[in-house]
Amino acid sequence: MQRYLIQTNGPGLYAFTSQVDVTGTGLLTLFVQHTSCSLVIQENADPEVQVDLQNFFARLVPPTTDPAMSYLTHTYEGPDDMPAHIKAALLPTHLSIPVQNGKLMLGTWQGLYLFEHRVAPHTRSVIGHMS
Amino acid sequence: MQRYLIQTNGPGLYAFTSQVDVTGTGLLTLFVQHTSCSLVIQENADPEVQVDLQNFFARLVPPTTDPAMSYLTHTYEGPDDMPAHIKAALLPTHLSIPVQNGKLMLGTWQGLYLFEHRVAPHTRSVIGHMS
Amino acid sequence: MQRYLIQTNGPGLYAFTSQVDVTGTGLLTLFVQHTSCSLVIQENADPEVQVDLQNFFARLVPPTTDPAMSYLTHTYEGPDDMPAHIKAALLPTHLSIPVQNGKLMLGTWQGLYLFEHRVAPHTRSVIGHMS
């Protein structure tokens, strides 16, 4: 088992494909140990895609200071906290990727990203497990 | 392989972390055998988070009796049935969690929940597989 | 490891449970090598469910030509491209299903579907891994 630490600095996608080091053949599972960020596989070509993704989720789940979200009650950890938990429910906590001869079997345009939902900087912990 | 049965009594999150019994080191996969409930990993500290989560999804996917959902056609199993299938698409059917020496490698604030989307009581079946 | 090719012809759910051939006991992971389609487990009984699912996601994430989506910037690959990436974030890229004696441990009403988000026909590649 391995642990990857990813430093974030506000909402958005953080590429970490190149940090992932695998050997042999099997299945790699990546698991993020938090409930206010996510792991996603997304297009690795045009950075516009990553910005658009973040903006879509920011509109689908706005901060609790937005009148549309006035029904939310868990507000004492900041206006971005409960929306972060909702995004963490909507997006994956873990990814499983087949590995062949030490190579992740990602498609040509697929990259691995940590999707940070909180505003404050965080150090995020991702566990990597090969089976 | 193990089977966990979880009794539900209306929409909401049902904690089941303490039911999950693992030994050894590897990867635990939990798989729910239904298309109208989900498995989620969420904050286990403040119960407000669980109530807010349920309310968010109730607003994102209201019952088919809501005029906003009049385009839905699968209504004969009740106004909560098709919304339950939509929520079951948006939220996970399975979770994979690394295990070390018989301990789930969850983060401090992470708990396992069955998220029930139907109104009527159900007994839900979750398969646990270690690899 | 196996590769399943699935031909699509516009947005919607394509059943492929019957294509999946497994032996022995373990965990099957299916992984789709694209960022503009998804894998979902859904009700296999009434085809209305599949139509309703597609319509829900078409309304949640309309084409970039819709004024509501004017904030999206990644438009040069067509009005259905960025919405396809968003749907691919909201819905699973991989499924893990326990297998016992060569039989997928799906519930009675669960079927496997590739959910195509693009308008143009595509040949989609799904990797199957047993562990």
Side-chain angles (χ1 to χ4, degrees), chain A residues 8 10-14 32 34-40 53-54 57-58 61 79-92 114-120 122 124, chain B residues 42:
Chain A
T8 65
L13 281 78
Y14 295 80
V32 69
H34 310 278
T35 61
S36 55
C37 64
S38 305
L39 299 178
V40 294
L53 271 173
Q54 187 199 328
F57 284 95
V61 198
D80 64 327
D81 184 67
M82 190 60 222
H85 292 311
I86 295 172
K87 290 172 199 162
L90 282 167
L91 292 163
L114 185 133
F115 196 161
E116 176 61 69
H117 307 310
R118 297 300 310 268
V119 171
H122 281 82
R124 299 305 198 170
Chain B
Q42 268 296 325

Side-chain angles (χ1 to χ4, degrees), chain A residues 25-27 41-43 46 48-49 52-53 55-57 59-60 90-92 94-100 105-107 109-110 131, chain C residues 1 3 27 29 31-35 60-61 69 71-77 81-82 85-86 88-90 93-94 96 127 129 131:
Chain A
T25 293
L27 186 74
I41 293 177
Q42 268 295 325
E43 193 191 282
D46 184 345
E48 282 179 349
V49 171
D52 283 354
L53 271 173
N55 284 332
F56 174 82
F57 284 95
R59 281 156 190 263
L60 184 65
L90 282 167
L91 292 163
H94 60 91
L95 304 173
S96 292
I97 306 145
V99 175
Q100 200 158 43
M105 295 189 70
L106 295 169
W109 309 110
Q110 288 182 315
S131 60
Chain C
M1 252 177 263
R3 184 185 299 267
L27 186 74
T29 297
F31 179 88
V32 69
Q33 296 186 297
H34 310 278
T35 60
L60 185 65
V61 198
M69 305 308 275
Y71 66 92
L72 295 176
T73 61
H74 182 75
T75 56
Y76 68 87
E77 293 190 70
D81 185 68
M82 191 59 222
H85 292 312
I86 294 171
L90 281 166
T93 296
H94 60 91
S96 292
I127 305 293
H129 173 271
S131 61

Side-chain angles (χ1 to χ4, degrees), chain B residues 20-48:
Chain B
V20 175
D21 185 30
V22 285
T23 55
T25 292
L27 185 74
L28 173 69
T29 298
L30 298 163
F31 179 88
V32 69
Q33 296 185 297
H34 310 278
T35 60
S36 56
C37 65
S38 304
L39 300 178
V40 294
I41 293 177
Q42 268 296 325
E43 194 190 282
N44 56 13
D46 185 344
E48 283 179 349

